[in-house]
Amino acid sequence: MQGSGMKQFISVTDVANINALVKQALVYKANPLADRQLGENKRIGLLFLNPSLRTRLSTQIAARNLGMEAVVFNIDKEGWALEFEEGAIMSGNTVEHVKDAGPVLGLYFDILCIRTFPSLKNREDDYSEMFINQFIKYAGVPVVSLESATLHPLQSLTDLVTIQETINNNAKLQTPNAKPKIVLTWAPHIKPLPQCVANSFAQWINAWGEAEFVITHPHEYELAEQFTKGATITHDQDAALQGADFVYVKNWSTYTDYGKMYENDPEWMLTEEKLKATRNAKVMHCLPVRRNVELSDEVLDSTHSLVTQQAGNRVWAAQAVLSDILKTKK
Ligand code: CP
């Protein structure tokens, strides 16, 4: 029983073989307790600096399926205010440096998982991923991202598991040499949101390389090229949707003029009418979703929607990642 060598899970670049990880997630879906002794006498810490429903619960369930003890800590509400800057003079509101807290957490846990959102104020700071990188530097145990300032890899692995599962169950999507068409479309929202889910989805679909991948968004909502490179990008949503097999719906704020929301054009909301241009596409969203703002009730409540299945698959994706890290550590 060997892992792939995975020592952390922060980005798709930590994954040796994407298809093997997706396959392992589907193996766990079929047999959740297949490796129930793998994590015996091991503890996993889940630190949240931001709210969560799916990530928080699915990762705990995944850990328990592997026999691990999971401890959740809402560090933003229950912990000391942490300082992350090297050399900081801590005469302000922060009480404890990550340089001191990180090694302690590393003694308590075999795997440390962290959720940290971006500030959306300073692009350079957010894209430096200082918070999660400081935990990696000081904890001394494998770190798993539960969503960081720029990426959400557990979500993206789940998304790929859901796409692969749908392909496996649909003969029409298994045409030899015909890649499925996957469209990532911007959606309206009431406030500026991080770019993490969209960045990460683009990064994973590009790295997977087994799809025709199109990203569509209004002018000035370009994502970081480091993640989108390889995708076709268009501002014409109708053209993008033509012949799509999967449509991933997500809002994000601006990247260039960082963290802004210029417009909230309701025309970008995905509707049943727009889906008529697709190949009876399946619709995905990471949740939580603003109904009738990002996605219409008619789409979310239709057979097009994969969102509940997708959220359910969060357990198997997390389990595949944790088991790989545990097997690598052995
Ligand atoms: N998709 C996702 O990460 O959901 P939560 O914020 O509820 O964890």
Side-chain angles (χ1 to χ4, degrees):
M1 191 194 311
Q2 280 196 325
S4 71
M6 193 189 287
K7 294 196 171 73
Q8 60 177 29
F9 187 73
I10 306 301
S11 156
V12 75
T13 55
D14 295 313
V15 178
N17 183 332
I18 295 173
N19 281 327
L21 198 59
V22 168
K23 200 170 163 193
Q24 183 60 54
L26 290 171
V27 166
Y28 283 135
K29 183 164 185 171
N31 189 356
L33 300 180
D35 281 328
R36 66 171 173 265
Q37 275 149 6
L38 184 65
E40 247 176 24
N41 303 320
K42 307 262 186 221
R43 270 190 304 272
I44 184 168
L46 293 102
L47 269 52
F48 286 88
L49 284 106
N50 304 94
S52 164
L53 185 152
R54 280 145 289 270
T55 310
R56 179 187 178 112
L57 298 175
S58 63
T59 312
Q60 283 182 83
I61 295 165
R64 287 180 186 172
N65 284 347
L66 295 168
M68 299 188 87
E69 184 187 350
V71 178
V72 178
F73 186 33
N74 295 314
I75 198 163
D76 60 327
K77 297 185 185 73
E78 296 153 353
W80 300 114
L82 286 182
E83 177 62 57
F84 289 88
E85 289 280 350
E86 294 292 339
I89 298 168
M90 291 174 55
S91 56
N93 292 331
T94 55
V95 178
E96 180 165 27
H97 203 285
V98 67
K99 203 170 184 172
D100 302 309
V104 175
L105 293 165
L107 291 178
Y108 294 163
F109 299 113
D110 300 280
I111 299 176
L112 193 58
C113 306
I114 296 142
R115 168 166 281 200
T116 64
F117 282 173
S119 67
L120 292 183
K121 292 191 178 103
N122 182 314
R123 187 174 82 186
E124 206 175 302
D125 282 355
D126 287 345
Y127 276 69
S128 77
E129 290 282 12
M130 180 176 69
F131 289 2
I132 203 153
N133 283 332
Q134 288 290 68
F135 277 112
I136 291 168
K137 184 172 174 185
Y138 290 116
V141 292
V143 171
V144 172
S145 167
L146 301 174
E147 187 168 348
S148 66
T150 66
L151 294 171
H152 195 352
L154 280 177
Q155 180 65 53
S156 308
L157 173 58
T158 302
D159 299 335
L160 208 41
V161 168
T162 309
I163 288 168
Q164 187 61 64
E165 181 179 41
T166 304
I167 292 170
N168 293 350
N169 293 333
N170 184 340
K172 278 194 206 146
L173 291 173
Q174 293 165 19
T175 320
N177 304 323
K179 292 179 170 182
K181 181 173 178 183
I182 300 176
V183 177
L184 168 63
T185 179
W186 184 90
H189 204 278
I190 59 152
K191 62 177 188 179
L193 293 189
Q195 292 122 30
C196 314
V197 170
N199 281 345
S200 196
F201 186 73
Q203 187 197 36
W204 279 72
I205 298 298
N206 279 325
W208 184 50
E210 295 185 20
E212 178 193 347
F213 183 36
V214 179
I215 302 173
T216 184
H217 55 72
H219 286 275
E220 299 175 321
Y221 279 85
E222 275 72 22
L223 292 162
E225 202 189 351
Q226 61 177 302
F227 303 121
T228 60
K229 204 169 180 184
T232 301
I233 298 171
T234 171
H235 302 128
D236 183 340
Q237 190 190 41
D238 291 336
L241 292 173
Q242 288 289 332
D245 297 299
F246 296 91
V247 183
Y248 200 101
V249 180
K250 187 72 187 86
N251 171 269
W252 60 85
S253 58
T254 54
Y255 171 74
T256 305
D257 177 24
Y258 191 60
K260 306 281 189 314
M261 188 176 80
Y262 292 137
E263 59 171 312
N264 199 19
D265 184 355
E267 285 301 309
W268 277 83
M269 183 176 77
L270 190 70
T271 59
E272 278 280 347
E273 186 58 32
K274 288 186 188 180
L275 283 174
K276 286 181 183 160
T278 69
R279 289 208 310 169
N280 198 24
K282 292 296 182 187
V283 175
M284 304 175 71
H285 188 287
C286 61
L287 301 180
V289 63
R290 296 261 180 174
R291 280 181 173 255
N292 303 312
V293 176
E294 291 175 84
L295 260 169
S296 65
D297 275 343
E298 56 176 7
V299 173
L300 276 166
D301 298 334
S302 75
T303 53
H304 288 287
S305 175
L306 291 181
V307 299
T308 307
Q309 177 186 335
Q310 194 182 345
N313 284 339
R314 292 292 307 267
V315 172
W316 320 117
Q319 195 166 332
V321 168
L322 298 182
S323 87
D324 197 323
I325 291 173
L326 287 170
K327 288 172 186 171
T328 297
K329 264 173 80 95
K330 264 188 185 282

